[in-house]
Amino acid sequence: MQAKDLSGAALTYDGEGLTRVRSAPPGYRTTNVRTAVGVGEDAFRRLAEGLMGWELHRLAGLRVDAAAPAAAEGVDVVPGFGVGPLRLSAPCRVVWTERSPTRTGFGYGTLPGHPESGEEGFVALLEANGLVVLDLFAFSRHSNWFYRAGGPVAEAAQRLVTRRYVAAAKALAGGLAG
């Protein structure tokens, strides 16, 4: 599925924009990761630009088919996980963005064809003490009976991708070892 084919699709969940305030609707699993990935303004800038330009996703091992080169409200994106015919596409739409000297990020919500229903937010933070933090908050549930049946596998895949996001954020920021 390509990002340009999604313009008429509706989000598959309620609670659009809730990841911006780190909240979730009832009945959804949450992922909550907040970890230091670097130090200083240059590290923050690299992480922020890499996050907004889909590089965080690419470095995490996902193929990214986006309707625009950078995250912006309304932009459709289809991250893909896997190889060849075993690639799982996960269509999403950016539902919020923000940029400031100390906080940059976006959240995207699921579209039809995504194995989950929900939203994921990615934020780069520059804290007052100079630490650069990746703040990832998501809520999700399986989108249909097929993915519910494979729940443990799907949840393990989500944990793996989250670990890869953290490693990618460290690489972008010039990161902290570990």
Side-chain angles (χ1 to χ4, degrees):
M1 185 173 294
Q2 294 186 356
K4 61 183 171 269
D5 300 335
L6 301 169
S7 60
L11 296 171
T12 61
Y13 65 98
D14 293 322
E16 180 180 336
L18 284 177
T19 56
R20 185 177 215 154
V21 294
R22 302 180 56 79
S23 183
Y28 286 80
R29 293 181 318 279
T30 59
T31 300
N32 184 3
V33 175
R34 188 177 166 99
T35 188
V37 296
V39 178
E41 290 181 15
D42 287 342
F44 169 75
R45 180 189 45 74
R46 287 190 304 270
L47 177 58
E49 292 307 312
L51 193 151
M52 298 305 282
W54 312 116
E55 195 61 24
L56 180 85
H57 288 67
R58 289 185 184 97
L59 288 174
L62 300 176
R63 189 182 80 199
V64 178
D65 179 15
E73 285 185 44
V75 168
D76 293 332
V77 59
V78 182
F81 183 75
V83 179
L86 299 177
R87 184 173 307 279
L88 183 63
S89 294
C92 297
R93 178 168 297 133
V94 176
V95 296
W96 61 265
T97 62
E98 62 180 283
R99 282 188 180 260
S100 80
T102 60
R103 184 178 173 91
T104 295
F106 71 92
Y108 57 29
T110 58
L111 294 170
H114 196 295
E116 298 289 315
S117 289
E119 193 173 289
E120 190 164 25
F122 303 86
V123 179
L125 300 167
L126 178 60
E127 296 189 341
N129 63 3
L131 276 181
V132 176
V133 172
L134 173 67
D135 187 0
L136 186 152
F137 183 84
F139 60 85
S140 63
R141 62 182 177 200
H142 306 304
S143 63
N144 62 39
W145 70 268
F146 178 78
Y147 293 112
R148 282 190 293 277
V153 173
E155 291 164 26
Q158 281 183 310
R159 289 190 300 272
L160 172 64
V161 170
T162 299
R163 286 192 304 272
R164 288 182 172 189
Y165 286 146
V166 171
K170 288 178 180 180
L172 284 167
L176 302 171

